[in-house]
Amino acid sequence: MNGHKFRFFVLQLSFLGWDILAGLSLGIGYFWLTPYKNATYMAFYKDLAGDQFLQTTSADEPTEEVTVEAI
């Protein structure tokens, strides 16, 4: 996050109008705004992280298959 705090601040600031409209709707607008903001923040983090957290398996390593049995 170092070096990107201003970008994140501008991103949060871009939701100011939406926050005002959601507040004017007596809070009902937050039912739609909150998931939208969370998805935007996750996309921002994914953009920052890049491929850092991708898990790849080597062809030499055997992979375990997990099966779910129906009851």
Side-chain angles (χ1 to χ4, degrees):
M1 192 70 176
N2 291 335
H4 300 282
K5 289 185 177 92
F6 184 72
R7 282 182 55 205
F8 188 66
F9 174 73
V10 171
L11 179 65
Q12 287 179 324
L13 196 61
S14 69
F15 286 109
L16 182 64
W18 288 110
D19 281 321
I20 292 171
L21 286 174
L24 289 175
S25 69
L26 302 176
I28 295 173
Y30 285 112
F31 284 117
W32 290 273
L33 182 60
T34 301
Y36 180 62
K37 286 172 72 172
N38 288 336
T40 305
Y41 296 152
M42 286 187 289
F44 179 80
Y45 180 74
K46 185 177 178 183
D47 181 51
L48 285 182
D51 295 336
Q52 183 177 1
F53 297 111
L54 287 179
Q55 294 180 354
T56 58
T57 58
S58 173
D60 298 332
E61 297 177 10
T63 57
E64 293 183 27
E65 291 186 23
V66 177
T67 57
V68 178
E69 297 180 18
I71 296 178

